[in-house]
Amino acid sequence: MVSEIRLFATAQYAAQIQFYQELLASRGVTVEWVEIEQLNARFLRQHPELALCLDQDGLWLSAEGMKMQPDWRGEISRLKRASLKSELLARACQLAEKPKLIDATAGLGHDSLLMAHLGAEVILVERHPILVTLLEAAKAQATLDPFLADTAERISLVYADSQDYLEQRVREQQEVDVVYLDPMFPQRDQNSNKKQALVKKQMQLLHLLLADDGQMDLGEQLLAPARQIAKRVVVKRPRLAVHLDDVTPDHQWLGDACRFDAYFK
Ligand SMILES: C[S@@+](CC[C@H](N)C(=O)[O-])C[C@H]1O[C@@H](n2cnc3c(N)ncnc32)[C@H](O)[C@@H]1O
């Protein structure tokens, strides 16, 4: 896990920088502020290492000239098109029932944003200190947006390892309607179609951020505790990927690039 990171920002953001330095220090990440004159594409090309950036768009990550941020406002057009019928995710998670749902692998929170928009009450769990900080910033921005505010209200964020979080809920017999899992998957899956195997830019950066401790955690250990507390566990997989933890699901919904495997109680 990243324990030190540089933050590029101009002097006008000093107060926010101090806030993020203290918050991330409490989560075990030392942030070194590099004061710069101007944050632009040229600067980012010249500084390809993984770093945080702060500007008028809020807090985001950069690496190799790419930018990554839980872009909840950027998802608005997708949310406007989405419906309970058109979204496989909505059918797999039975969003029409307005379930209480735990998304145990938050990432950028885009799937959860869609699920909350379509009616779910979401607890979003992320264990990466930088990602959870980015998610908190995205949620704070979303609560100020007229279109996203109600949706953001239905999302609560938890900074924790989901295995611990789910196991604690098992011990406390705290049940939930749905647990949703979308663990990392090696970038090149069994699908021979190169185009489909190439993850989007944001996912590439996510892989860069998360893959620094050698072996990728594929999330197999989350399935068992999830099944103990949820009426339904839904797992997102690349279309041709093996089943999570080698457990055959009760039902599958197949999309073009991914599929949803469901396990019922
Ligand atoms: C593929 S991403 C999820 C993408 C997400 N569905 C979205 O819409 O943006 C997987 C995320 O799950 C997180 N994760 C994996 N295992 C976890 C665990 N045991 N506890 C908490 N978070 C975990 C990773 O840090 C990563 O951010």
Side-chain angles (χ1 to χ4, degrees):
M1 198 80 76
V2 177
S3 60
E4 299 180 344
I5 193 160
R6 298 211 287 172
L7 189 157
F8 299 129
T10 57
Q12 74 190 99
Y13 295 100
Q16 283 180 64
I17 290 163
Q18 194 187 348
F19 168 79
Y20 284 122
Q21 280 179 319
E22 286 171 11
L23 181 61
L24 279 161
S26 74
R27 294 172 172 169
V29 181
T30 305
V31 175
E32 182 204 343
W33 174 24
V34 180
E35 188 182 330
I36 59 169
E37 291 296 314
Q38 209 182 4
L39 189 57
N40 54 24
R42 187 158 168 264
F43 177 88
L44 293 178
R45 274 198 306 276
Q46 288 167 347
H47 296 82
E49 73 272 21
L50 187 70
L52 282 166
C53 299
L54 186 64
D55 65 4
Q56 68 283 353
D57 292 340
L59 188 67
W60 42 279
L61 271 171
S62 70
E64 296 172 14
M66 296 184 289
K67 172 174 180 174
M68 185 191 81
Q69 190 176 35
D71 185 10
W72 289 11
R73 284 191 293 204
E75 291 288 295
I76 288 178
S77 55
R78 180 177 178 212
L79 298 182
K80 284 185 173 163
R81 287 194 311 270
S83 73
L84 289 168
K85 270 195 184 156
S86 66
E87 295 289 337
L88 280 189
L89 181 57
R91 286 190 258 155
C93 293
Q94 275 197 316
L95 298 182
E97 310 275 307
K98 303 204 181 307
K100 289 198 188 316
L101 183 149
I102 297 171
D103 178 345
T105 51
L108 300 175
H110 291 170
D111 289 337
S112 266
L113 188 69
L114 176 69
M115 295 191 283
H117 174 69
L118 292 176
E121 197 79 40
V122 178
I123 297 174
L124 192 51
V125 190
E126 176 57 55
R127 68 175 167 196
H128 196 287
I130 294 177
L131 262 183
V132 80
T133 305
L134 292 171
L135 284 166
E136 285 164 351
K139 184 182 160 171
Q141 273 188 348
T143 53
L144 302 175
D145 183 287
F147 184 82
L148 293 175
D150 287 349
T151 298
E153 289 298 325
R154 284 197 290 280
I155 299 178
S156 28
L157 271 163
V158 175
Y159 172 43
D161 187 302
S162 289
Q163 190 174 359
D164 300 337
Y165 180 79
L166 293 171
E167 285 172 355
Q168 182 170 348
R169 288 192 70 126
V170 172
R171 283 193 296 278
E172 293 170 0
Q173 299 182 339
Q174 274 191 297
E175 301 208 335
V176 70
D177 298 314
V178 181
V179 171
Y180 177 69
L181 303 173
D182 175 17
M184 299 301 283
F185 201 81
Q187 292 200 21
R188 213 170 275 273
D189 61 36
Q190 294 96 322
N191 195 328
S192 58
N193 181 338
K194 277 192 184 167
K195 259 191 188 166
Q196 286 194 353
L198 270 181
V199 288
K200 290 192 293 189
K201 264 191 175 180
Q202 294 239 322
M203 275 296 148
Q204 286 176 24
L205 228 157
L206 196 59
H207 277 260
L208 258 181
L209 179 69
L210 301 174
D212 61 342
D213 40 9
Q215 200 137 35
M216 186 179 280
D217 176 355
L218 301 179
E220 289 102 338
Q221 73 291 350
L222 300 177
L223 185 60
R227 293 186 75 183
Q228 285 184 65
I229 56 157
K231 293 182 194 137
R232 170 182 290 240
V233 178
V234 175
V235 183
K236 184 178 186 180
R237 308 295 280 164
R239 192 180 152 93
L240 299 179
V242 292
H243 300 135
L244 184 63
D245 205 20
D246 266 340
V247 183
T248 307
D250 298 307
H251 196 77
Q252 282 189 332
W253 287 263
L254 275 181
D256 292 337
C258 74
R259 64 165 208 267
F260 297 100
D261 292 352
Y263 302 85
F264 307 133
K265 199 147 207 167

